[in-house]
Amino acid sequence: MLYGGPPEIHISNYEVSLEIDSNNNITKYTRLNTDDSHVDRVYFEYDNGNLTKLTNGSHVTEITYDEANNWHTHRSGYQPSIYGYSARDMGGFIFYPNSLNWLNQIPHFYNFNNKNNPTEYKVNGEVYTTFQYEYNAANYPSKITIPQQNVVIELEYEAVD
């Protein structure tokens, strides 16, 4: 038996603008809710081809990297079932915090791929996740260990001519 009525549906309208640097990276994301005039701004920082910091008001996400080739050799948004839903693979990020979850909704960011592999995510100064890697002869990770998630991922690569 159901009580109440159908769920309320609320549709918000937004205007989104992006500021892009000379490397074609997003440096500022602004979203205006045209219904209530609320504005969200997120600032992006990069180093050596890697997204290193997102600042949204007082909320800060920081990402550190290794020096090896990024394991993420496919298009963003691909989510292999072997990683599990919580892996949320995108741009070389895996098991990322909710503060990064919305990035895959920005079409400009869909094909972004970090140059290297993340070694640590910090959210507001607190370590969220760390990563340990074993590498193959081509300097790509062959194994990713994520202690906080109790996960080990074995990787294989297919050479394409």
Side-chain angles (χ1 to χ4, degrees):
M1 177 172 262
L2 297 174
Y3 295 97
E8 255 186 64
I9 297 175
H10 178 75
I11 298 173
S12 294
N13 297 294
Y14 296 97
E15 288 180 12
V16 173
S17 64
L18 302 175
E19 289 184 19
I20 310 292
D21 67 12
S22 60
N23 294 317
N24 204 30
N25 291 323
I26 299 170
T27 57
K28 183 178 172 185
Y29 168 93
T30 304
R31 183 177 76 167
L32 166 66
N33 183 323
T34 58
D35 298 326
D36 65 10
S37 298
H38 177 79
V39 176
D40 288 307
R41 283 188 186 86
V42 181
Y43 298 89
F44 295 67
E45 294 179 33
Y46 302 84
D47 186 33
N48 195 32
N50 298 306
L51 176 61
T52 57
K53 189 175 184 181
L54 285 164
T55 304
N56 183 359
S58 62
H59 190 78
V60 178
T61 302
E62 297 171 283
I63 306 146
T64 56
Y65 296 86
D66 64 8
E67 295 295 321
N69 297 319
N70 194 308
W71 69 274
H72 190 268
T73 59
H74 51 271
R75 269 185 88 156
S76 288
Y78 178 71
Q79 185 172 313
S81 60
I82 60 167
Y83 302 152
Y85 176 73
S86 61
R88 299 184 303 222
D89 167 23
M90 180 220 19
F93 298 122
I94 191 168
F95 287 98
Y96 50 87
N98 287 337
S99 56
L100 297 178
N101 192 36
W102 60 278
L103 290 176
N104 64 5
Q105 298 172 18
I106 301 174
H108 187 86
F109 200 83
Y110 187 79
N111 286 324
F112 177 81
N113 198 22
N114 290 297
K115 180 180 174 186
N116 306 112
N117 303 288
T119 57
E120 181 179 81
Y121 302 145
K122 280 187 182 178
V123 178
N124 296 328
E126 299 280 326
V127 174
Y128 176 82
T129 305
T130 60
F131 303 88
Q132 301 161 356
Y133 300 93
E134 292 179 19
Y135 304 94
N136 64 20
N139 203 28
Y140 285 93
S142 57
K143 183 177 180 181
I144 305 173
T145 303
I146 308 156
Q148 292 82 357
Q149 305 293 334
N150 198 27
V151 169
V152 175
I153 299 170
E154 302 278 345
L155 298 169
E156 295 181 14
Y157 301 88
E158 181 178 327
V160 178
D161 294 325

